[in-house]
Amino acid sequence: MLKIRIAIADDYSIFRDGLKVGFNRDKNLEVIFEVSDGQELMQKLEEVQPDVILMDLKMPLMDGIEAMKLIRKKYTSDIKILVLTMYDDVKFIIHLMENGANGYLLKNTDPKEIRKAIYSVHESGYYFNDIVTKALLKKLTLKGTTRLSLDQTIEFSERELDVLKMICDEKTATEIGTELFLSPRSVEGIRMRMIEKTGVRNTAGLVMFAIKNGVVE
């Protein structure tokens, strides 16, 4: 496979160095640049776009939240964003996942899981670990319900629901196409149509929609 090109945005050089050491052990991962703040990140993106950005939230000049908003406005969803931070507040997690993050990791996450998350967001568009799942369930509980009924204003065809359920099972477009006798391009078209219908920003948002509306358990 082609190497997954990674950018690291974090104001601690020691932490960036630690990540790079871990990635060097995987021949499929390549760090193409590193920056110490969001402003520098946006400047580097003018020159080259990585496949995955590992980004801290608290950075000087421009924080990760603002940088992510700009990235989602300026670039396509082809750039995957993995938030890597010390903040485990439910509001932060849900807000960022609903507004363009493809995954949310704490800085004390095991290096093996970080690599797993990179592969997941690159291949399927999202990575939901325990911290995201628990935050989502807590949000639903605070609303007084553990399951919502499917939004009646949005209608899915049977084929769209089949694709959505497989996306939630972390299957790639190729794997979904094989099971449903569709081309990967057709699967991608269905995915984009559902994103437009639901008004979410990316595949991670689509999965969150499916969970909150009881499409998947």
Side-chain angles (χ1 to χ4, degrees):
M1 63 174 290
L2 294 175
K3 286 189 176 183
I4 300 174
R5 301 179 304 161
I6 300 167
I8 303 173
D10 192 287
D11 58 335
Y12 284 95
S13 59
I14 293 177
F15 184 73
R16 299 198 306 267
D17 290 342
L19 287 174
K20 288 188 294 183
V21 169
F23 297 155
N24 286 339
R25 299 170 184 167
D26 191 325
K27 63 181 182 181
N28 294 319
L29 303 180
E30 177 186 10
V31 177
I32 60 173
F33 70 79
E34 58 179 290
V35 295
S36 59
D37 62 74
Q39 194 173 93
E40 189 180 1
L41 172 63
M42 297 309 299
Q43 291 171 351
K44 290 294 292 185
L45 289 176
E46 294 284 350
E47 304 170 11
V48 60
Q49 287 84 55
D51 299 310
V52 180
I53 299 175
L54 289 177
M55 185 165 63
D56 191 9
L57 293 181
K58 187 178 180 181
M59 295 186 291
L61 300 181
M62 181 188 295
D63 63 33
I65 297 175
E66 184 63 27
M68 189 177 75
K69 289 179 181 177
L70 291 176
I71 292 169
R72 286 299 175 237
K73 285 181 180 179
K74 192 166 186 178
Y75 300 98
T76 68
S77 58
D78 289 340
I79 297 179
K80 307 303 189 298
I81 299 175
L82 270 174
V83 173
L84 194 56
T85 183
M86 292 302 297
Y87 296 103
D88 60 356
D89 185 272
V90 170
K91 293 180 180 178
F92 266 122
I93 298 169
I94 297 300
H95 175 77
L96 289 167
M97 292 299 294
E98 289 182 336
N99 286 276
N102 300 92
Y104 196 104
L105 300 168
L106 295 181
K107 283 193 171 182
N108 60 1
T109 299
D110 185 90
K112 290 183 179 179
E113 184 179 352
I114 295 176
R115 292 198 296 272
K116 178 183 177 182
I118 290 172
Y119 278 99
S120 180
V121 297
H122 180 64
E123 294 171 3
S124 63
Y126 72 96
Y127 179 70
F128 276 19
N129 52 1
D130 287 343
I131 186 173
V132 174
T133 302
K134 288 177 181 178
L136 179 57
L137 290 175
K138 186 173 182 179
K139 180 184 179 183
L140 296 181
T141 301
L142 290 175
K143 283 188 173 183
T145 178
T146 56
R147 177 171 173 167
L148 304 176
S149 59
L150 186 63
D151 189 334
Q152 296 301 309
T153 64
I154 300 174
E155 294 183 2
F156 289 111
S157 67
E158 185 175 343
R159 179 51 57 87
E160 287 174 335
L161 286 173
D162 288 340
V163 170
L164 180 54
K165 289 174 183 177
M166 290 185 184
I167 287 175
C168 292
D169 286 336
E170 298 185 56
K171 293 184 182 295
T172 65
T174 300
E175 292 171 334
I176 295 172
T178 299
E179 291 194 35
L180 298 180
F181 303 102
L182 296 170
S183 68
R185 186 173 180 179
S186 295
V187 173
E188 180 65 14
I190 293 172
R191 184 185 71 85
M192 290 304 300
R193 190 160 64 243
M194 288 190 290
I195 286 176
E196 291 177 4
K197 281 185 178 183
T198 56
V200 300
R201 292 180 178 270
N202 53 24
T203 306
L206 193 60
V207 174
M208 292 186 70
F209 175 91
I211 295 173
K212 289 191 290 186
N213 288 282
V215 177
V216 295
E217 297 294 340

